[in-house]
Amino acid sequence: MKTRLKRIPLGIAFILLVLLLVACIETPSTPSALDPQGPGASRIASLTWLLVGLGGFTYLVVVGLLGLALWRKRHRPPDDDGVQRDWLRGRGQKLVIGGGVVFPTLILFIIYGVTLNTLSALNNQTQTDPLIIEVIGHQWWWEIHYPQHEFQTANEIHIPVGVPIQFQLTSADVVHSFWVPELHGKLDLLPERRNTLWLEATEAGEYWGLCAEFCGLQHARMLLVIVAEPEVQFNTWLEAQQQPAIEPANPLDEQGQAVFLTKGCDDCHVIRGVAAAGGDLGPDLTHFADRLTLGAGTAPNNRGHLAGWVVDPHGLKPGNLMPATPLTGEELEALLAYMESLR
Ligand code: CUA
């Protein structure tokens, strides 16, 4: 009875674990490494399942043998005097060498070989003249450069579908880690070093990524999105991003631009084409209105959240570098209108 009672918490823990795993698989909004959408992530997912399979098989063999030993002990014939036999001889010796040396060596060699093969395949790219995207990690956002096309953006990366892209990763401050689970494994962004990662999406779509290395207070709010598009659509985006910012089209937008230039926004942010806006501490805002989120995935990019972000950025994302900007209602309205015009 006592042992039965002891088993109940274990049983509950097991059921909770299964429910948790099922939840991981069935939530479509959470990016899962087990739902690969690119060749890199597919290889990693296959390796994961192989490791789970081999680990599960080994576990069952060990638990089976343990069960057999316990069963045999319990059902020992009464005439057995209980004297321990010498297990290091005869059948016992074979079992120890086979199960304790040969079997684990074989399993570990299979794992070692397949892992090395996967690692080398992930980096084995023969693509000549690839599209290069530089990603620079900051506390807590992503600076994105397209060096061949001479523009930069932030937190949102567009790529063409079905083409391997070369990502070059580095950091402006501490160690971060670039991870888009559905497309590839993690790779660190290190200060004063450049790591290369090849990434490809097989289907068009939005793929959410995150920082996978603890990097300070807002590590959890350091998200990014990769938008994979058909070639034509991607080229349109690329063309638009290279253009300087749109000119203010009405008096309200003009007033908003003046607010941007007089209230200190331009100390940290660039808007290409606006002469005085030249700081590089914060994200480039040239085509800000096209982006999906604010503060690297902290909030959706809409008027309400943008107003909150400008007036009280620490309310949304405590600890971030952007200072609160006190504005009158009129100034704020003009600034919001101008920011929303930056398509
Ligand atoms: Cu950057 Cu965690």
Side-chain angles (χ1 to χ4, degrees):
M1 188 64 191
K2 248 188 180 173
T3 40
R4 254 192 217 166
L5 280 177
K6 269 187 196 163
R7 278 180 204 148
I8 290 174
L10 262 180
I12 293 173
F14 179 72
I15 291 168
L16 284 177
L17 183 71
V18 169
L19 286 177
L20 206 71
L21 288 175
V22 169
C24 286
I25 293 163
E26 287 193 349
T27 311
S29 57
T30 309
S32 167
L34 297 180
D35 180 21
Q37 303 293 326
S42 289
R43 283 186 170 275
I44 292 168
S46 305
L47 179 64
T48 306
W49 286 120
L50 180 76
L51 295 184
V52 169
L54 283 175
F57 172 68
T58 308
Y59 174 79
L60 289 179
V61 168
V62 170
V63 169
L65 287 174
L66 182 68
L68 186 68
L70 292 174
W71 186 85
R72 282 175 63 163
K73 194 180 174 205
R74 180 175 275 198
H75 295 269
R76 195 158 44 202
D79 58 337
D80 191 330
D81 58 5
V83 176
Q84 276 202 328
R85 274 171 281 174
D86 188 355
W87 274 96
L88 285 178
R89 286 205 196 125
R91 261 178 71 200
Q93 191 179 38
K94 275 185 198 151
L95 198 64
V96 168
I97 293 174
V101 180
V102 177
F103 179 68
T105 307
L106 189 72
I107 295 284
L108 289 176
F109 259 98
I110 293 174
I111 290 174
Y112 183 62
V114 178
T115 305
L116 282 187
N117 183 40
T118 302
L119 279 176
S120 87
L122 286 176
N123 285 311
N124 187 15
Q125 287 289 345
T126 47
Q127 184 90 359
T128 48
D129 197 22
L131 174 68
I132 295 171
I133 299 177
E134 277 174 15
V135 181
I136 304 169
H138 290 261
Q139 283 173 315
W140 296 276
W141 60 283
W142 310 86
E143 183 180 334
I144 315 291
H145 288 255
Y146 287 71
Q148 294 138 321
H149 303 88
E150 296 177 352
F151 73 88
Q152 63 166 290
T153 176
N155 306 324
E156 196 167 309
I157 301 170
H158 287 236
I159 60 170
V161 165
V163 186
I165 313 292
Q166 191 188 87
F167 279 72
Q168 297 184 358
L169 311 176
T170 184
S171 169
D173 39 50
V174 299
V175 179
H176 304 271
S177 182
F178 180 87
W179 190 29
V180 186
E182 288 159 326
L183 298 182
H184 209 285
K186 303 166 187 172
L187 190 64
D188 280 358
L189 297 92
L190 305 168
E192 291 168 26
R193 249 194 86 157
R194 203 162 269 263
N195 282 336
T196 303
L197 175 126
W198 287 88
L199 187 142
E200 179 184 340
T202 35
E203 298 281 337
E206 283 169 12
Y207 301 102
W208 288 89
L210 55 147
C211 180
E213 177 75 38
F214 181 73
C215 55
L217 185 61
Q218 292 297 343
H219 159 69
R221 290 201 185 100
M222 189 167 167
L223 307 181
L224 69 121
V225 62
I226 292 190
V227 181
E229 305 169 307
E231 189 94 31
V232 176
Q233 227 168 310
F234 170 73
N235 285 334
T236 310
W237 178 85
L238 201 63
E239 185 68 32
Q241 290 289 314
Q242 291 171 74
Q243 304 305 316
I246 197 162
E247 294 283 331
N250 56 53
L252 188 64
D253 290 359
E254 253 169 53
Q255 193 195 340
Q257 191 188 64
V259 171
F260 186 92
L261 293 172
T262 52
K263 295 291 175 178
C265 311
D266 60 321
D267 291 345
C268 300
H269 295 285
V270 167
I271 295 181
R272 274 176 282 132
V274 179
D280 60 358
L281 265 180
D284 181 303
L285 299 177
T286 308
H287 299 288
F288 164 80
D290 282 338
R291 293 186 205 147
L292 294 168
T293 71
L294 294 174
T298 300
N301 186 4
N302 58 36
R303 179 166 275 227
H305 282 107
L306 181 58
W309 181 261
V310 170
V311 175
D312 181 21
H314 295 208
L316 278 170
K317 193 170 179 176
N320 90 79
L321 272 185
M322 174 148 155
T325 314
L327 297 173
T328 65
E330 200 186 317
E331 287 167 340
L332 181 62
E333 199 189 328
L335 180 64
L336 296 177
Y338 175 58
M339 296 306 295
E340 284 180 339
S341 77
L342 296 176
R343 295 222 157 256

